[in-house]
Amino acid sequence: MLQITNFNVVFTDQTPLEILLADKLNLPTGAITDVKIIRKAIDARRYKKNPIYYVYTLNFSLQKGHNEASVLKKHKNIKTVQIKKDNNTKILPRKKISLQPIVVGTGPAGLFCALTLCQAGYAPIVFERGQDMDSRHKSVDQFWQTGHLRQESNVQFGEGGAGTFSDGKLTTRINDPQIATVLDTFVRCGAPQEIRYLHKPHIGTDLLRQVIKNLRQMIINLGGSVHFNTRLEKICRLDNELTEITLHSGQKIPCRDLFMGIGHSARDTYEMLFREGVQMEAKPFAIGVRIEHPQELIDRAQYGEDFNSPYLPVADYALTFNDREKNLACYSFCMCPGGKVVAAASENERVVTNGMSDYARDFGIANSALLVPVTPDDFGHGVLDGIRMQRHYEHLAFLLGGSNYCAPAQTVGDFLSHRYGSDNLLVTPSYCPGITLADLHFCLPQKVSAALELALLHFDHKIPGFAAAGAVMTGVEMRSSAPCRIIRDKQTMMSINTAGLYPIGEGAGYAGGIVSAAVDGINAARHFIEKNKS
Ligand SMILES: Cc1cc2nc3c(=O)[nH]c(=O)nc-3n(C[C@H](O)[C@H](O)[C@H](O)COP(=O)(O)OP(=O)(O)OC[C@H]3O[C@@H](n4cnc5c(N)ncnc54)[C@H](O)[C@@H]3O)c2cc1C
């Protein structure tokens, strides 16, 4: 099998790849077979001088009678590749254990942890404080329409975890062989094949919901059990060892192996772990607002005159600003092309924003979070100080929004000139149940507002119109990552002072995003399986 990298195809060219490749290699049509896309990315950097390209990495074979060696000799960006059988976890022999492992949370970390344990023949018991997918979907819709919040089932809590009502972006900065396992599993659960090779894969919330339900069924078919509306209330430690857990119902369950995939918003559970003496530490995170622009403005900036070509996906962006002198930084985060700003609160009298889009990304508005890093120097070095800061500003946003879960919003023009109320909005704000025009300076730390003001002008140079007077900002974005870390041992992935407790995923403070949380869950399960293998 041969592999070619950096194979550029003009974005409008619909010619089959076999033919384009044969042409490129000066081979007769039909000489190329078994073409498989390994990676596909867009290169629009130089659209002013060159056409926009799709850049492929392709595996392919040559028809009998065509000499691989001569092709390799002629073309530097071609090499031979061995087709790996599969990168799935090898089923390891298991040791009979008296107490089955328990997994808390059905976010990506919890689900992939449970699946890996099942594949090794264990029968994990999974507890999720929120509702199953269909009930949760109704609860979230009801909150977005009426402002009636369910603290146990919302955009943060429930089957699938935080990322369910999201853009379902599957990009990650980690480099781990289990990433392919995660993507393969999502495809086996119904996600589009392309997520395996796209440079920036996404599933979209509309497809992700069914994919998660299929993943849950896969766990159950392999002997696991999943219990919704069941909150872990307390853990019991003895001599630095986990011995038992208590559920919100009061039920006590002996437990020696507990995988905690609680996410970054389970503040009551963090408080319980801290009370029970589990070693934790304060951790830097980032806060800010969400900004919305017409999607066309972003498409024009990224694709130029080809902005509305049917051969191009809606455009995204990634922006950073760093003023070392003033020690102010800001970056765009979780950009949702053709998406919506969503109400992501999980506690009464608090307003939180985040972003979501469907697979088609066809909502016509582009949004992203504009985040400013904050550290324990800003909010205190106490383990729970970060949570205190989040709660404080989320409550201010609740009040500023009108104390009904409407969110405060402001045009960029007003924000930069410290006034509010202008309604010359470039887009209709997509946050539901609604917005109240207000001055976002009142629900943000001064440092964050100062960084945003400078960054907006800087970003406007990168994307003309980014700081247009009518661009809309809605606040507050407080849940970009975990505000504290449950300290664990690098080798065993167990809590450093509670044997048997495996803090996993984003809530543990060691992962961020759907894929890295899932990979973290898989690796913790593999550590456990290795430890217990007979
Ligand atoms: C609106 C939104 C959009 C996002 N978009 C993206 C995106 O496009 N791409 C991306 O990579 N990331 C995205 N993220 C981030 C991503 O969702 C998280 O990084 C990821 O879900 C973390 O996975 P996790 O399994 O560690 O935790 P979570 O997904 O947060 O899951 C934790 C689960 O644990 C449950 N739980 C908590 N406490 C308890 C308890 N005491 N007892 C029982 N159950 C409990 C919760 O109900 C929850 O279901 C988004 C997040 C949000 C909120």
Side-chain angles (χ1 to χ4, degrees):
M1 177 70 75
L2 295 175
Q3 181 177 90
I4 186 169
T5 51
N6 297 322
F7 181 57
N8 290 355
V9 176
V10 174
F11 76 100
T12 49
D13 193 336
Q14 299 301 298
T15 316
L17 291 170
E18 293 77 10
I19 296 177
L20 291 173
L21 205 41
D23 200 29
K24 167 102 179 167
L25 306 183
N26 302 326
L27 293 170
T29 307
I32 306 279
T33 61
D34 309 331
V35 170
K36 185 172 179 227
I37 304 175
I38 303 301
R39 189 171 182 281
K40 177 181 180 180
I42 290 180
D43 182 355
R45 286 167 299 167
R46 297 179 297 282
Y47 73 73
K48 290 200 176 85
K49 295 195 209 76
N50 297 338
I52 296 173
Y53 289 112
Y54 281 113
V55 184
Y56 289 94
T57 298
L58 302 172
N59 282 0
F60 64 99
S61 304
L62 295 180
Q63 274 290 10
K64 273 209 176 52
H66 292 283
N67 180 331
E68 279 196 3
S70 71
V71 169
L72 287 167
K73 206 145 140 267
K74 277 197 221 124
H75 302 276
K76 294 276 165 290
N77 61 340
I78 295 183
K79 62 180 180 179
T80 51
V81 285
Q82 302 310 319
I83 300 307
K84 295 194 211 74
K85 283 283 158 284
D86 67 40
N87 55 12
N88 278 339
T89 42
K90 201 156 76 298
I91 299 293
L92 294 161
R94 71 173 189 192
K95 189 168 76 175
K96 279 232 162 305
I97 55 174
S98 52
L99 292 175
Q100 286 296 339
I102 291 179
V103 177
V104 173
T106 60
L111 288 174
F112 278 86
C113 174
L115 179 66
T116 309
L117 292 169
C118 286
Q119 289 167 336
Y122 293 96
I125 307 165
V126 183
F127 294 124
E128 166 56 57
R129 67 191 302 164
Q131 296 169 306
D132 66 275
M133 187 64 75
D134 298 340
S135 314
R136 182 192 183 189
H137 190 192
K138 291 197 190 88
S139 301
V140 168
D141 270 352
Q142 192 193 22
F143 174 48
W144 290 348
Q145 276 146 34
T146 66
H148 171 67
L149 173 68
R150 292 178 69 120
Q151 294 199 104
E152 289 300 324
S153 211
N154 45 59
V155 167
Q156 308 291 347
F157 299 156
E159 181 171 16
T164 306
F165 298 88
S166 83
D167 183 29
K169 271 184 292 302
L170 302 176
T171 42
T172 179
R173 289 207 179 93
I174 66 166
N175 181 6
D176 188 296
Q178 297 306 330
I179 293 173
T181 307
V182 173
L183 299 178
D184 288 349
T185 306
F186 276 143
V187 170
R188 280 169 35 218
C189 293
Q193 290 277 353
E194 68 193 17
I195 66 167
R196 281 193 171 116
Y197 59 74
L198 280 181
H199 174 47
K200 294 181 182 171
H202 84 284
I203 299 182
T205 197
D206 49 344
L207 300 186
L208 192 55
R209 288 196 289 267
Q210 188 55 46
V211 168
I212 297 289
K213 285 164 71 174
N214 295 344
L215 182 49
R216 178 238 294 177
Q217 197 52 48
M218 204 185 257
I219 292 167
I220 292 169
N221 296 350
L222 287 168
S225 61
V226 183
H227 309 269
F228 295 109
N229 307 309
T230 310
R231 185 178 65 248
L232 170 81
E233 196 72 8
K234 188 175 174 305
I235 66 163
C236 188
R237 309 167 57 245
L238 210 55
D239 305 333
N240 287 349
E241 263 200 37
L242 182 75
T243 57
E244 180 189 86
I245 64 167
T246 309
L247 302 177
H248 76 284
S249 59
Q251 182 189 356
K252 293 185 183 309
I253 305 174
C255 175
R256 258 213 297 283
D257 299 288
L258 178 65
F259 296 84
M260 290 279 284
I262 57 171
H264 57 35
S265 292
R267 296 165 173 176
D268 52 353
T269 313
Y270 279 137
E271 288 160 349
M272 177 273 287
L273 293 171
F274 183 65
R275 268 194 318 275
E276 296 302 327
V278 173
Q279 213 155 329
M280 303 163 71
E281 63 187 3
K283 174 184 143 310
F285 55 102
I287 61 177
V289 295
R290 223 158 241 265
I291 190 165
E292 290 182 285
H293 299 94
Q295 180 62 48
E296 182 177 322
L297 185 151
I298 306 301
D299 293 345
R300 280 181 183 279
Q302 306 293 51
Y303 298 147
E305 69 210 19
D306 298 314
F307 74 94
N308 60 355
S309 163
Y311 298 114
L312 289 170
V314 284
D316 63 5
Y317 59 76
L319 299 163
T320 58
F321 164 78
N322 197 356
D323 183 325
R324 287 193 177 72
E325 241 172 78
K326 297 195 176 78
N327 185 25
L328 293 174
C330 177
Y331 58 94
S332 64
F333 180 74
C334 190
M335 195 262 168
C336 297
K340 297 175 182 171
V341 178
V342 293
S346 59
E347 288 182 340
N348 286 340
E349 303 201 356
R350 298 199 166 97
V351 158
V352 182
T353 59
N354 211 303
M356 170 193 102
S357 66
D358 284 339
Y359 175 69
R361 289 175 159 175
D362 53 0
F363 190 67
I365 299 179
N367 79 67
S368 82
L370 296 182
L371 299 181
V372 175
V374 288
T375 71
D377 295 340
D378 300 309
F379 53 78
H381 290 263
V383 167
L384 303 175
D385 288 349
I387 291 175
R388 241 173 249 115
M389 177 200 219
Q390 290 175 321
R391 280 182 165 147
H392 173 69
Y393 289 102
E394 290 173 12
H395 186 58
L396 287 180
F398 174 78
L399 299 174
L400 213 54
S403 300
N404 57 4
Y405 296 101
C406 284
Q410 187 175 23
T411 63
V412 168
D414 277 3
F415 184 75
L416 294 176
S417 42
H418 290 243
R419 57 166 198 262
Y420 72 96
S422 306
D423 56 4
N424 60 330
L425 313 180
L426 271 183
V427 295
T428 306
S430 56
Y431 175 100
C432 294
I435 59 105
T436 304
L437 292 174
D439 187 349
L440 290 168
H441 291 91
F442 291 119
C443 57
L444 292 168
Q446 196 281 327
K447 166 186 172 178
V448 173
S449 296
L452 284 172
E453 288 176 16
L454 293 173
L456 283 162
L457 301 175
H458 175 78
F459 295 156
D460 199 69
H461 294 300
K462 306 276 181 201
I463 296 184
F466 197 88
V472 185
M473 304 198 298
T474 306
V476 284
E477 188 99 3
M478 287 286 163
R479 316 272 181 100
S480 60
S481 74
C484 54
R485 179 174 291 123
I486 307 169
I487 309 174
R488 71 185 185 193
D489 175 279
K490 226 170 179 316
Q491 300 315 317
T492 64
M493 293 184 78
M494 274 194 230
S495 154
I496 54 170
N497 73 337
T498 312
L501 177 65
Y502 295 82
I504 57 174
E506 183 150 49
Y510 293 94
I514 295 169
V515 171
S516 75
V519 166
D520 201 53
I522 293 173
N523 287 334
R526 289 167 62 79
H527 272 84
F528 167 82
I529 294 162
E530 195 62 27
K531 187 179 71 131
N532 286 287
K533 84 178 178 201
S534 44

PDB file of all heavy atoms in Angstrom, residues 462-491:
ATOM      1  N   LYS A 462      -7.326  40.951  12.074  1.00  0.00           N
ATOM      2  CA  LYS A 462      -7.233  39.599  11.511  1.00  0.00           C
ATOM      3  C   LYS A 462      -8.465  39.289  10.671  1.00  0.00           C
ATOM      4  O   LYS A 462      -8.375  38.706   9.604  1.00  0.00           O
ATOM      5  CB  LYS A 462      -7.129  38.562  12.644  1.00  0.00           C
ATOM      6  CG  LYS A 462      -6.014  38.798  13.644  1.00  0.00           C
ATOM      7  CD  LYS A 462      -4.717  38.232  13.129  1.00  0.00           C
ATOM      8  CE  LYS A 462      -3.604  38.443  14.134  1.00  0.00           C
ATOM      9  NZ  LYS A 462      -2.292  38.361  13.473  1.00  0.00           N
ATOM     10  N   ILE A 463      -9.622  39.636  11.207  1.00  0.00           N
ATOM     11  CA  ILE A 463     -10.887  39.380  10.499  1.00  0.00           C
ATOM     12  C   ILE A 463     -11.635  40.707  10.419  1.00  0.00           C
ATOM     13  O   ILE A 463     -12.237  41.149  11.412  1.00  0.00           O
ATOM     14  CB  ILE A 463     -11.730  38.320  11.232  1.00  0.00           C
ATOM     15  CG1 ILE A 463     -10.997  36.979  11.249  1.00  0.00           C
ATOM     16  CG2 ILE A 463     -13.104  38.175  10.590  1.00  0.00           C
ATOM     17  CD1 ILE A 463     -11.767  35.834  11.865  1.00  0.00           C
ATOM     18  N   PRO A 464     -11.570  41.372   9.276  1.00  0.00           N
ATOM     19  CA  PRO A 464     -12.235  42.682   9.164  1.00  0.00           C
ATOM     20  C   PRO A 464     -13.720  42.581   9.534  1.00  0.00           C
ATOM     21  O   PRO A 464     -14.408  41.659   9.082  1.00  0.00           O
ATOM     22  CB  PRO A 464     -12.048  43.033   7.681  1.00  0.00           C
ATOM     23  CG  PRO A 464     -10.892  42.205   7.226  1.00  0.00           C
ATOM     24  CD  PRO A 464     -10.946  40.931   8.024  1.00  0.00           C
ATOM     25  N   GLY A 465     -14.160  43.462  10.449  1.00  0.00           N
ATOM     26  CA  GLY A 465     -15.560  43.445  10.880  1.00  0.00           C
ATOM     27  C   GLY A 465     -15.756  42.667  12.155  1.00  0.00           C
ATOM     28  O   GLY A 465     -16.863  42.625  12.696  1.00  0.00           O
ATOM     29  N   PHE A 466     -14.678  42.052  12.666  1.00  0.00           N
ATOM     30  CA  PHE A 466     -14.830  41.271  13.896  1.00  0.00           C
ATOM     31  C   PHE A 466     -15.283  42.156  15.042  1.00  0.00           C
ATOM     32  O   PHE A 466     -16.090  41.742  15.879  1.00  0.00           O
ATOM     33  CB  PHE A 466     -13.518  40.581  14.270  1.00  0.00           C
ATOM     34  CG  PHE A 466     -13.692  39.457  15.266  1.00  0.00           C
ATOM     35  CD1 PHE A 466     -13.956  38.180  14.833  1.00  0.00           C
ATOM     36  CD2 PHE A 466     -13.602  39.704  16.630  1.00  0.00           C
ATOM     37  CE1 PHE A 466     -14.141  37.147  15.744  1.00  0.00           C
ATOM     38  CE2 PHE A 466     -13.796  38.672  17.548  1.00  0.00           C
ATOM     39  CZ  PHE A 466     -14.071  37.388  17.100  1.00  0.00           C
ATOM     40  N   ALA A 467     -14.752  43.406  15.051  1.00  0.00           N
ATOM     41  CA  ALA A 467     -15.145  44.339  16.120  1.00  0.00           C
ATOM     42  C   ALA A 467     -16.154  45.354  15.599  1.00  0.00           C
ATOM     43  O   ALA A 467     -16.222  46.494  16.078  1.00  0.00           O
ATOM     44  CB  ALA A 467     -13.913  45.037  16.676  1.00  0.00           C
ATOM     45  N   ALA A 468     -16.960  44.927  14.619  1.00  0.00           N
ATOM     46  CA  ALA A 468     -17.991  45.831  14.093  1.00  0.00           C
ATOM     47  C   ALA A 468     -18.886  46.286  15.239  1.00  0.00           C
ATOM     48  O   ALA A 468     -19.153  45.504  16.168  1.00  0.00           O
ATOM     49  CB  ALA A 468     -18.823  45.106  13.044  1.00  0.00           C
ATOM     50  N   ALA A 469     -19.333  47.532  15.179  1.00  0.00           N
ATOM     51  CA  ALA A 469     -20.125  48.091  16.291  1.00  0.00           C
ATOM     52  C   ALA A 469     -21.328  47.224  16.624  1.00  0.00           C
ATOM     53  O   ALA A 469     -21.699  47.064  17.783  1.00  0.00           O
ATOM     54  CB  ALA A 469     -20.582  49.502  15.930  1.00  0.00           C
ATOM     55  N   GLY A 470     -21.903  46.553  15.597  1.00  0.00           N
ATOM     56  CA  GLY A 470     -23.134  45.772  15.829  1.00  0.00           C
ATOM     57  C   GLY A 470     -22.914  44.313  16.151  1.00  0.00           C
ATOM     58  O   GLY A 470     -23.882  43.567  16.366  1.00  0.00           O
ATOM     59  N   ALA A 471     -21.637  43.877  16.218  1.00  0.00           N
ATOM     60  CA  ALA A 471     -21.407  42.483  16.617  1.00  0.00           C
ATOM     61  C   ALA A 471     -21.901  42.333  18.047  1.00  0.00           C
ATOM     62  O   ALA A 471     -21.851  43.290  18.830  1.00  0.00           O
ATOM     63  CB  ALA A 471     -19.918  42.159  16.514  1.00  0.00           C
ATOM     64  N   VAL A 472     -22.411  41.149  18.401  1.00  0.00           N
ATOM     65  CA  VAL A 472     -23.095  41.003  19.694  1.00  0.00           C
ATOM     66  C   VAL A 472     -22.319  40.090  20.640  1.00  0.00           C
ATOM     67  O   VAL A 472     -21.867  39.020  20.230  1.00  0.00           O
ATOM     68  CB  VAL A 472     -24.504  40.400  19.504  1.00  0.00           C
ATOM     69  CG1 VAL A 472     -25.254  40.362  20.834  1.00  0.00           C
ATOM     70  CG2 VAL A 472     -25.281  41.157  18.460  1.00  0.00           C
ATOM     71  N   MET A 473     -22.180  40.490  21.868  1.00  0.00           N
ATOM     72  CA  MET A 473     -21.545  39.662  22.892  1.00  0.00           C
ATOM     73  C   MET A 473     -22.576  39.319  23.968  1.00  0.00           C
ATOM     74  O   MET A 473     -23.353  40.177  24.375  1.00  0.00           O
ATOM     75  CB  MET A 473     -20.355  40.387  23.510  1.00  0.00           C
ATOM     76  CG  MET A 473     -19.322  40.820  22.478  1.00  0.00           C
ATOM     77  SD  MET A 473     -17.721  41.206  23.175  1.00  0.00           S
ATOM     78  CE  MET A 473     -18.110  42.579  24.241  1.00  0.00           C
ATOM     79  N   THR A 474     -22.586  38.066  24.372  1.00  0.00           N
ATOM     80  CA  THR A 474     -23.526  37.599  25.406  1.00  0.00           C
ATOM     81  C   THR A 474     -22.715  36.943  26.520  1.00  0.00           C
ATOM     82  O   THR A 474     -21.728  36.250  26.245  1.00  0.00           O
ATOM     83  CB  THR A 474     -24.500  36.568  24.792  1.00  0.00           C
ATOM     84  OG1 THR A 474     -25.107  37.161  23.631  1.00  0.00           O
ATOM     85  CG2 THR A 474     -25.593  36.175  25.766  1.00  0.00           C
ATOM     86  N   GLY A 475     -23.119  37.154  27.751  1.00  0.00           N
ATOM     87  CA  GLY A 475     -22.299  36.608  28.846  1.00  0.00           C
ATOM     88  C   GLY A 475     -23.112  35.868  29.896  1.00  0.00           C
ATOM     89  O   GLY A 475     -24.356  35.969  29.902  1.00  0.00           O
ATOM     90  N   VAL A 476     -22.381  35.118  30.728  1.00  0.00           N
ATOM     91  CA  VAL A 476     -20.948  35.047  30.831  1.00  0.00           C
ATOM     92  C   VAL A 476     -20.494  33.625  30.547  1.00  0.00           C
ATOM     93  O   VAL A 476     -21.229  32.665  30.822  1.00  0.00           O
ATOM     94  CB  VAL A 476     -20.434  35.462  32.237  1.00  0.00           C
ATOM     95  CG1 VAL A 476     -20.483  36.957  32.400  1.00  0.00           C
ATOM     96  CG2 VAL A 476     -21.208  34.748  33.336  1.00  0.00           C
ATOM     97  N   GLU A 477     -19.295  33.499  29.976  1.00  0.00           N
ATOM     98  CA  GLU A 477     -18.750  32.170  29.656  1.00  0.00           C
ATOM     99  C   GLU A 477     -17.786  31.812  30.775  1.00  0.00           C
ATOM    100  O   GLU A 477     -16.720  32.415  30.912  1.00  0.00           O
ATOM    101  CB  GLU A 477     -18.022  32.214  28.309  1.00  0.00           C
ATOM    102  CG  GLU A 477     -17.569  30.877  27.779  1.00  0.00           C
ATOM    103  CD  GLU A 477     -18.502  30.265  26.723  1.00  0.00           C
ATOM    104  OE1 GLU A 477     -19.502  30.924  26.350  1.00  0.00           O
ATOM    105  OE2 GLU A 477     -18.209  29.140  26.293  1.00  0.00           O
ATOM    106  N   MET A 478     -18.154  30.867  31.626  1.00  0.00           N
ATOM    107  CA  MET A 478     -17.392  30.571  32.844  1.00  0.00           C
ATOM    108  C   MET A 478     -16.932  29.132  32.930  1.00  0.00           C
ATOM    109  O   MET A 478     -16.154  28.785  33.813  1.00  0.00           O
ATOM    110  CB  MET A 478     -18.276  30.847  34.073  1.00  0.00           C
ATOM    111  CG  MET A 478     -18.514  32.292  34.362  1.00  0.00           C
ATOM    112  SD  MET A 478     -17.033  33.036  35.050  1.00  0.00           S
ATOM    113  CE  MET A 478     -17.400  34.744  34.825  1.00  0.00           C
ATOM    114  N   ARG A 479     -17.400  28.283  31.996  1.00  0.00           N
ATOM    115  CA  ARG A 479     -17.128  26.846  32.169  1.00  0.00           C
ATOM    116  C   ARG A 479     -16.255  26.301  31.041  1.00  0.00           C
ATOM    117  O   ARG A 479     -16.564  25.302  30.428  1.00  0.00           O
ATOM    118  CB  ARG A 479     -18.444  26.056  32.217  1.00  0.00           C
ATOM    119  CG  ARG A 479     -19.563  26.638  33.048  1.00  0.00           C
ATOM    120  CD  ARG A 479     -19.511  26.199  34.498  1.00  0.00           C
ATOM    121  NE  ARG A 479     -20.621  26.769  35.256  1.00  0.00           N
ATOM    122  CZ  ARG A 479     -21.743  26.135  35.575  1.00  0.00           C
ATOM    123  NH1 ARG A 479     -21.914  24.885  35.176  1.00  0.00           N
ATOM    124  NH2 ARG A 479     -22.675  26.725  36.273  1.00  0.00           N
ATOM    125  N   SER A 480     -15.117  26.976  30.794  1.00  0.00           N
ATOM    126  CA  SER A 480     -14.260  26.526  29.685  1.00  0.00           C
ATOM    127  C   SER A 480     -13.425  25.319  30.089  1.00  0.00           C
ATOM    128  O   SER A 480     -13.046  24.508  29.260  1.00  0.00           O
ATOM    129  CB  SER A 480     -13.315  27.661  29.293  1.00  0.00           C
ATOM    130  OG  SER A 480     -12.533  27.993  30.422  1.00  0.00           O
ATOM    131  N   SER A 481     -13.099  25.240  31.383  1.00  0.00           N
ATOM    132  CA  SER A 481     -12.397  24.032  31.871  1.00  0.00           C
ATOM    133  C   SER A 481     -12.572  23.965  33.377  1.00  0.00           C
ATOM    134  O   SER A 481     -13.181  24.848  33.972  1.00  0.00           O
ATOM    135  CB  SER A 481     -10.927  24.095  31.478  1.00  0.00           C
ATOM    136  OG  SER A 481     -10.248  25.028  32.278  1.00  0.00           O
ATOM    137  N   ALA A 482     -12.041  22.925  34.006  1.00  0.00           N
ATOM    138  CA  ALA A 482     -12.282  22.695  35.440  1.00  0.00           C
ATOM    139  C   ALA A 482     -11.592  23.764  36.289  1.00  0.00           C
ATOM    140  O   ALA A 482     -10.464  24.155  35.998  1.00  0.00           O
ATOM    141  CB  ALA A 482     -11.773  21.315  35.831  1.00  0.00           C
ATOM    142  N   PRO A 483     -12.270  24.250  37.320  1.00  0.00           N
ATOM    143  CA  PRO A 483     -11.682  25.276  38.212  1.00  0.00           C
ATOM    144  C   PRO A 483     -10.753  24.680  39.274  1.00  0.00           C
ATOM    145  O   PRO A 483     -10.119  25.421  40.014  1.00  0.00           O
ATOM    146  CB  PRO A 483     -12.930  25.891  38.856  1.00  0.00           C
ATOM    147  CG  PRO A 483     -13.909  24.772  38.903  1.00  0.00           C
ATOM    148  CD  PRO A 483     -13.644  23.910  37.692  1.00  0.00           C
ATOM    149  N   CYS A 484     -10.705  23.349  39.363  1.00  0.00           N
ATOM    150  CA  CYS A 484      -9.772  22.734  40.313  1.00  0.00           C
ATOM    151  C   CYS A 484      -9.367  21.355  39.789  1.00  0.00           C
ATOM    152  O   CYS A 484      -9.964  20.865  38.831  1.00  0.00           O
ATOM    153  CB  CYS A 484     -10.384  22.625  41.697  1.00  0.00           C
ATOM    154  SG  CYS A 484     -11.969  21.793  41.731  1.00  0.00           S
ATOM    155  N   ARG A 485      -8.334  20.766  40.368  1.00  0.00           N
ATOM    156  CA  ARG A 485      -7.822  19.467  39.909  1.00  0.00           C
ATOM    157  C   ARG A 485      -7.855  18.462  41.059  1.00  0.00           C
ATOM    158  O   ARG A 485      -7.571  18.820  42.209  1.00  0.00           O
ATOM    159  CB  ARG A 485      -6.381  19.651  39.405  1.00  0.00           C
ATOM    160  CG  ARG A 485      -5.707  18.394  38.909  1.00  0.00           C
ATOM    161  CD  ARG A 485      -4.337  18.684  38.299  1.00  0.00           C
ATOM    162  NE  ARG A 485      -4.452  19.414  37.047  1.00  0.00           N
ATOM    163  CZ  ARG A 485      -3.871  20.598  36.804  1.00  0.00           C
ATOM    164  NH1 ARG A 485      -3.180  21.192  37.757  1.00  0.00           N
ATOM    165  NH2 ARG A 485      -3.999  21.183  35.632  1.00  0.00           N
ATOM    166  N   ILE A 486      -8.261  17.243  40.758  1.00  0.00           N
ATOM    167  CA  ILE A 486      -8.196  16.155  41.733  1.00  0.00           C
ATOM    168  C   ILE A 486      -6.853  15.465  41.466  1.00  0.00           C
ATOM    169  O   ILE A 486      -6.679  14.805  40.456  1.00  0.00           O
ATOM    170  CB  ILE A 486      -9.375  15.170  41.546  1.00  0.00           C
ATOM    171  CG1 ILE A 486     -10.711  15.908  41.541  1.00  0.00           C
ATOM    172  CG2 ILE A 486      -9.347  14.087  42.628  1.00  0.00           C
ATOM    173  CD1 ILE A 486     -11.902  15.064  41.098  1.00  0.00           C
ATOM    174  N   ILE A 487      -5.908  15.661  42.370  1.00  0.00           N
ATOM    175  CA  ILE A 487      -4.523  15.265  42.077  1.00  0.00           C
ATOM    176  C   ILE A 487      -4.392  13.749  41.991  1.00  0.00           C
ATOM    177  O   ILE A 487      -4.875  13.022  42.869  1.00  0.00           O
ATOM    178  CB  ILE A 487      -3.559  15.842  43.127  1.00  0.00           C
ATOM    179  CG1 ILE A 487      -3.795  17.345  43.285  1.00  0.00           C
ATOM    180  CG2 ILE A 487      -2.113  15.555  42.756  1.00  0.00           C
ATOM    181  CD1 ILE A 487      -2.995  17.985  44.403  1.00  0.00           C
ATOM    182  N   ARG A 488      -3.775  13.281  40.907  1.00  0.00           N
ATOM    183  CA  ARG A 488      -3.632  11.835  40.739  1.00  0.00           C
ATOM    184  C   ARG A 488      -2.198  11.455  40.414  1.00  0.00           C
ATOM    185  O   ARG A 488      -1.419  12.285  39.935  1.00  0.00           O
ATOM    186  CB  ARG A 488      -4.584  11.303  39.663  1.00  0.00           C
ATOM    187  CG  ARG A 488      -4.225  11.682  38.251  1.00  0.00           C
ATOM    188  CD  ARG A 488      -5.259  11.240  37.242  1.00  0.00           C
ATOM    189  NE  ARG A 488      -4.805  11.530  35.888  1.00  0.00           N
ATOM    190  CZ  ARG A 488      -5.612  11.485  34.819  1.00  0.00           C
ATOM    191  NH1 ARG A 488      -6.892  11.202  34.958  1.00  0.00           N
ATOM    192  NH2 ARG A 488      -5.125  11.747  33.617  1.00  0.00           N
ATOM    193  N   ASP A 489      -1.900  10.192  40.623  1.00  0.00           N
ATOM    194  CA  ASP A 489      -0.554   9.668  40.367  1.00  0.00           C
ATOM    195  C   ASP A 489      -0.423   9.378  38.879  1.00  0.00           C
ATOM    196  O   ASP A 489      -1.290   8.723  38.296  1.00  0.00           O
ATOM    197  CB  ASP A 489      -0.372   8.378  41.178  1.00  0.00           C
ATOM    198  CG  ASP A 489       0.955   7.711  40.870  1.00  0.00           C
ATOM    199  OD1 ASP A 489       1.036   7.014  39.828  1.00  0.00           O
ATOM    200  OD2 ASP A 489       1.906   7.928  41.620  1.00  0.00           O
ATOM    201  N   LYS A 490       0.647   9.877  38.262  1.00  0.00           N
ATOM    202  CA  LYS A 490       0.827   9.744  36.803  1.00  0.00           C
ATOM    203  C   LYS A 490       0.837   8.261  36.381  1.00  0.00           C
ATOM    204  O   LYS A 490       0.227   7.886  35.398  1.00  0.00           O
ATOM    205  CB  LYS A 490       2.176  10.367  36.411  1.00  0.00           C
ATOM    206  CG  LYS A 490       2.084  11.284  35.183  1.00  0.00           C
ATOM    207  CD  LYS A 490       3.441  12.024  35.067  1.00  0.00           C
ATOM    208  CE  LYS A 490       3.521  12.950  33.872  1.00  0.00           C
ATOM    209  NZ  LYS A 490       3.040  12.472  32.623  1.00  0.00           N
ATOM    210  N   GLN A 491       1.472   7.411  37.199  1.00  0.00           N
ATOM    211  CA  GLN A 491       1.629   5.994  36.816  1.00  0.00           C
ATOM    212  C   GLN A 491       0.309   5.244  36.920  1.00  0.00           C
ATOM    213  O   GLN A 491      -0.136   4.589  35.992  1.00  0.00           O
ATOM    214  CB  GLN A 491       2.670   5.306  37.718  1.00  0.00           C
ATOM    215  CG  GLN A 491       4.064   5.899  37.680  1.00  0.00           C
ATOM    216  CD  GLN A 491       4.500   6.181  36.230  1.00  0.00           C
ATOM    217  OE1 GLN A 491       4.280   5.353  35.348  1.00  0.00           O
ATOM    218  NE2 GLN A 491       5.056   7.354  36.023  1.00  0.00           N
TER     219      GLN A 491
END
